[in-house]
Amino acid sequence: MLSAVVIINLLISLVCFYIAAKVWKIRRTIALFEIRIAAIERCSSNVLSTSPDFFANRQQGARQLRRRYQQLELQLQQIQQLLGLLGLGRMLWRRRDRPLR
């Protein structure tokens, strides 16, 4: 009878050790994931903390480019008008030099 109790206790102990080993392994895996997640969080935090400045600078650059483009468009219109006037003046000058028939 005593040997049966000892054998049952040994079997229960082996099952408990097996479960403890599995729990320890799972715990170690979770700890590794926690370390990886913390590292990913640090990296993403660093990237995201600088992104508002990055986007603000890009928006400001885009605004400046738009403003400069509008200025250049205005200058282009003025040059086209000037060239049109010069062409008209040239045409009138040629007519003036032509003899009437």
Side-chain angles (χ1 to χ4, degrees):
M1 180 83 168
L2 181 64
S3 61
V5 171
V6 170
I7 291 175
I8 291 174
N9 278 340
L10 283 174
L11 287 175
I12 291 173
S13 297
L14 287 174
V15 170
C16 286
F17 279 130
Y18 177 76
I19 292 172
K22 286 292 185 183
V23 168
W24 181 77
K25 190 175 180 180
I26 291 170
R27 196 170 175 197
R28 193 176 76 196
T29 305
I30 289 172
L32 290 174
F33 278 128
E34 181 183 1
I35 291 169
R36 288 180 186 163
I37 289 171
I40 291 170
E41 192 273 332
R42 276 193 308 273
C43 290
S44 62
S45 176
N46 290 339
V47 167
L48 292 175
S49 68
T50 59
S51 63
D53 294 333
F54 174 79
F55 288 123
N57 290 340
R58 294 300 180 241
Q59 278 184 331
Q60 184 178 2
R63 267 188 245 114
Q64 288 173 349
L65 283 174
R66 249 184 253 115
R67 207 173 307 124
R68 181 71 179 133
Y69 181 73
Q70 288 173 350
Q71 290 172 351
L72 289 173
E73 271 190 329
L74 180 62
Q75 288 176 357
L76 179 63
Q77 282 179 344
Q78 291 171 347
I79 289 172
Q80 285 174 340
Q81 288 173 352
L82 179 64
L83 288 174
L85 286 174
L86 287 174
L88 180 64
R90 185 175 169 208
M91 185 180 72
L92 291 174
W93 188 265
R94 282 186 178 172
R95 275 194 182 177
R96 191 188 72 125
D97 287 342
R98 238 192 257 166
L100 294 173
R101 293 183 194 183

